[in-house]
Each structure stands twice: as C-alpha cells, then as structure tokens.
Amino acid sequence: MSEGRLGLEVDQNVARITIDNPGKRNAMNAAMWRRLPELLAEITADPAVRVVVLTGAGDAFCAGADISELHEIEGPGGSATEPAERALLDCPLPTIALINGLCIGGGCQLAAACDLRIAAEPAMFGITPAKLGVVYPSSSIERLTELVGPAAAKLLLFSADFFDSGRALGIRLVDEVAADPAARVAELAATIAGRSQLSVRAAKELVDLAARGESLTERAAHWQDVATETGETAEGVTAFLERRPAVFPYA
C-alpha cells in the first residue's frame, strides 16, 4: 500500500480537504478514494460548515489514481472512484476545487465533480485513460461533457494531452485562473458563507436539476415556501431596506 492521506481542517464556516500524497504528486490510493465520501458525510453533518474546498498539498492538485493500486481502485469489488465522485456531486454544500498544480486523470474527475474550479496559472490538466487502455467512468464523461461540451470532451479523452490553465479556461474546464488562487478561493468561500444559506442551497439543487434536464417546479416551490416560513426572505428584504447586514434565520 502506498502512503497518502486526506487532511481535513475546518476554519469558521469553511471545511478544507487536502489531498496529501507527496511522493506520488498527490495521486489517490484506494484508501484515499474510500475515505473521501466519509469525510464529506462528516462535513455535511457539521452545522457550522457552509463551504467545502478541495485542494492538494504542495504544488500539485492530484495526479489521478495511484496506478500501482489500480486493481484495488477499480477491481472486482467495484469502483472506488465513482462513489467519491458521487459524494462530491451530491454534497448539499457548495464545493470549490482549488487547483494549485498538476490535475490529471482522477484529479480532473474530482475537480469536475466540484461546483466551482479555481486554478493557479501554472496548473496543467489532462485526462489520460487512453494512455492506459482504461475506460473513463461514464459518470465522469457525463460531467465532463456537461462542462466543456462534446467536442472538447472528445479532444481531452482521445488525445490524453495536457492542457495549460489558459486553454482549460477557454474550454470551461475551469471557471477562473488566478495569480493567487488560495487567496481567491478564501475570498470566494467567505463570500458564499456570508450569503443566505437557504438561497445558496436552493440554487445548487435547482441548477443541478436544470443541468440534468429535470423539472424545477416542485423543488422551486418547496424552497420558496421554506423561505417564507423561516422568515429568510423577510429578513433579507428588511435588512436591504434598512441598509444593514442581514441576519438570516436559516442555517
């Protein structure tokens, strides 16, 4: 078994998960893939947490799955990567990938499963199953295609070439490229944590439904009812009119 761990720090309203396997450029071994859903469940159960940041230790985000453990990661017992990806996709809290360096294969899989992706200027991206004779997971292909479109998804998957951060931004694989991505993510996480959490959670659920082509009507009505019943909307409007910060009751 290779070494490697997922670190967790909670600072005020932000939980930070750090992929830490420096000897392998933060490649994820089987234990790390299995640990991620457990960590996300712990974070979601903490009422203080409002935003989740996923990043890598040092100068790499994640070099993908640890190939030396591929038989265990994608073995007869089932995939370890797909439940980790699903846990990120299903997390009710906003998730931000802080891509501080190399983001390859399973690293792209994790980053794409987050709501937002902020990259460092030197970051490099690649999806490399075609170099290994591996079929990229169907759920990952769906998410990749949703983000970048069919042609760009095919280019990434067919070629297995590396793209720099500027090209990744151009095809919408990332949302922003920042000179100081850690500072930008800290700023963005603090902004989101300070907004109405009812509005944020409703928006995340409804946007995801819209992306899947599903009807928003029932769930939108549900969230509107909750906003009224909890006084969230009343507090927001009153605070705006009184020119003061809102103290939102929904948490």
Side-chain angles (χ1 to χ4, degrees):
M1 285 288 236
S2 66
E3 295 182 359
R5 62 185 289 272
L6 296 180
L8 173 62
E9 298 175 53
V10 178
D11 183 11
Q12 297 183 4
N13 301 121
V14 179
R16 183 186 181 101
I17 300 173
T18 301
I19 304 167
D20 188 0
N21 193 0
K24 296 199 173 183
R25 306 189 81 177
N26 296 334
M28 295 268 288
N29 61 36
M32 294 165 75
W33 284 108
R34 294 194 182 100
R35 178 62 176 146
L36 184 56
E38 297 173 351
L39 276 182
L40 288 166
E42 292 174 20
I43 290 166
T44 302
D46 184 345
V49 177
R50 295 184 170 188
V51 181
V52 180
V53 174
L54 177 67
T55 192
D59 60 359
F61 176 72
C62 175
D66 183 345
I67 300 303
S68 69
E69 295 190 14
L70 190 60
H71 64 287
E72 187 176 353
I73 293 169
E74 300 291 350
S79 170
T81 68
E82 292 187 49
E85 178 186 33
R86 176 50 54 190
L88 275 170
L89 289 168
D90 290 344
C91 180
L93 301 170
T95 54
I96 305 172
L98 166 51
I99 304 166
N100 49 323
L102 196 67
C103 181
I104 305 300
C108 281
Q109 187 178 358
L110 293 172
C114 292
D115 295 310
L116 301 170
R117 286 152 296 283
I118 310 297
E121 290 174 352
M124 295 293 292
F125 301 81
I127 302 178
T128 55
K131 290 183 177 180
L132 302 168
V134 172
V135 177
Y136 206 48
S138 60
S139 58
S140 303
I141 290 177
E142 288 175 3
R143 178 62 174 155
L144 178 66
T145 304
E146 179 185 312
L147 288 176
V148 305
K154 289 175 182 177
L155 179 60
L156 285 162
L157 291 163
F158 290 177
S159 71
D161 285 341
F162 286 9
F163 285 18
D164 63 22
S165 60
R167 194 168 184 189
L169 180 64
I171 63 172
R172 305 307 302 169
L173 185 59
V174 299
D175 300 296
E176 294 182 20
V177 175
D180 188 344
R184 173 57 182 141
V185 168
E187 173 192 41
L188 180 57
T191 296
I192 295 170
R195 302 303 189 200
S196 161
Q197 294 306 291
L198 185 149
S199 295
V200 169
R201 294 210 185 185
K204 173 162 180 169
E205 180 182 337
L206 296 175
V207 169
D208 288 345
L209 287 173
R212 295 195 298 267
E214 298 180 25
S215 172
L216 279 60
T217 305
E218 182 178 336
R219 293 302 297 169
H222 162 78
W223 283 111
Q224 288 161 0
D225 288 344
V226 174
T228 300
E229 292 165 4
T230 60
E232 190 87 348
T233 300
E235 168 59 13
V237 171
T238 300
F240 177 81
L241 294 174
E242 294 178 353
R243 299 178 182 272
R244 62 170 174 81
V247 182
F248 291 111
Y250 182 89

